[in-house]
Amino acid sequence: AQSVAQPEDQVKVAEGNPLTVKCTYSVSGNPYLFWYVQYPNRGLQFLLKYITGDNLVKGSYGFEAEFNKSQTSFHLKKPSALVSDSALYFCAVRVRSGYSTLTFGKGTMLLVSP
Amino acid sequence: EAGVAQSPRYKIIEKRQSVAFWCNPISGHATLYWYQQILGQGPKLLIQFQNNGVVDDSQLPKDRFSAERLKGVDSTLKIQPAKLEDSAVYLCASSLGEFDGYTFGSGTRLTVV
């Protein structure tokens, strides 16, 4: 079975500071990893994905994520947070080969203060 | 490109009533998904279609939920009869292929009273 853990329900940062939203995963095999963002009353929007190759993945709106196989982590990062980044962030995983659905974590609320 | 369209946006029904949700995926996307997102939780897959065939419905409560995808395009998800615990946002998503990123619709917020 595959699973995703987002250990923090909420992350608070001040605008202009760097942010990190944590994600660890468990799969049998090599993972595909994704980050999605959800704004109030909206569907999920794709931010970035790791398939293979460079462990540092760059995505939309200045976000990036680092794949760490030994720690089974895929933390989301941004060098300088904006108030408009405040939203609910979901990490998701699926196995790279064979049939597998996308399994989501429970989400982390990011609050960026002015 | 147009996004994934869902309707209605909101629905309030009494328990034991029936309800249906509609989804129109992005043109050309072969794979369509229905997810249930309960408040405070991540989305949970209910059913996955590849064209008009069901790939995975292992987490669909088949005694009350049903879904179909006619002609491999639009899809409907039905609940009959609804229970209080069905209150959630129902998200439809589509992807070009099984290994591509998903595009989500805005969802239907269902409240069962």
Side-chain angles (χ1 to χ4, degrees):
Chain A
Q2 56 193 42
S3 65
V4 174
Q6 293 183 242
E8 303 152 317
D9 290 336
Q10 192 175 86
V11 170
K12 293 182 178 179
V13 297
E15 188 173 36
N17 284 357
L19 69 88
T20 299
V21 182
K22 296 179 180 178
C23 170
T24 58
Y25 66 90
S26 174
V27 292
S28 300
N30 293 313
Y32 279 141
L33 292 154
F34 299 79
W35 275 101
Y36 285 83
V37 59
Q38 187 175 36
Y39 297 99
N41 299 314
R42 302 291 299 275
L44 280 72
Q45 295 178 31
F46 169 78
L47 272 182
L48 52 80
K49 67 180 178 182
Y50 170 82
I51 304 297
T52 187
D54 194 346
N55 290 342
L56 185 63
V57 179
K58 294 186 183 298
S60 306
Y61 313 119
F63 283 94
E64 58 188 29
E66 186 166 12
F67 171 62
N68 187 317
K69 188 172 183 178
S70 63
Q71 297 185 6
T72 62
S73 67
F74 190 57
H75 300 331
L76 182 70
K77 300 181 180 183
K78 188 174 182 181
S80 179
L82 299 173
V83 172
S84 57
D85 292 331
S86 298
L88 189 56
Y89 291 80
F90 291 96
C91 181
V93 68
R94 60 162 297 164
V95 294
R96 199 183 299 171
S97 60
Y99 171 72
S100 173
T101 60
L102 201 58
T103 298
F104 288 84
K106 63 178 174 62
T108 298
M109 178 63 71
L110 173 66
L111 298 174
V112 182
S113 57
Chain B
E1 81 186 340
V4 175
Q6 287 189 249
S7 67
R9 287 298 309 274
Y10 304 94
K11 190 74 177 178
I12 301 174
I13 62 171
E14 295 182 350
K15 59 184 179 182
R16 291 188 290 275
Q17 285 187 325
S18 63
V19 64
F21 312 128
W22 173 82
C23 172
N24 179 240
I26 291 176
S27 178
H29 279 195
T31 311
L32 185 147
Y33 315 81
W34 283 102
Y35 278 82
Q36 180 192 57
Q37 185 179 14
I38 293 173
L39 187 65
Q41 299 180 19
K44 183 186 82 171
L45 180 72
L46 291 176
I47 189 167
Q48 176 182 342
F49 292 94
Q50 182 74 18
N51 296 309
N52 61 350
V54 175
V55 176
D56 185 349
D57 63 358
S58 58
Q59 297 191 83
L60 187 74
K62 299 180 187 62
D63 58 334
R64 297 184 301 105
F65 286 64
S66 64
E68 60 181 3
R69 189 181 185 195
L70 299 175
K71 300 181 181 178
V73 183
D74 292 6
S75 177
T76 56
L77 176 69
K78 297 179 181 178
I79 307 175
Q80 182 179 11
K83 293 185 175 181
L84 295 176
E85 59 260 36
D86 297 331
S87 294
V89 176
Y90 291 84
L91 295 165
C92 179
S94 69
S95 65
L96 194 59
E98 196 175 348
F99 297 95
D100 295 301
Y102 297 7
T103 301
F104 283 84
S106 296
T108 297
R109 181 176 298 277
L110 173 68
T111 302
V112 182
V113 298

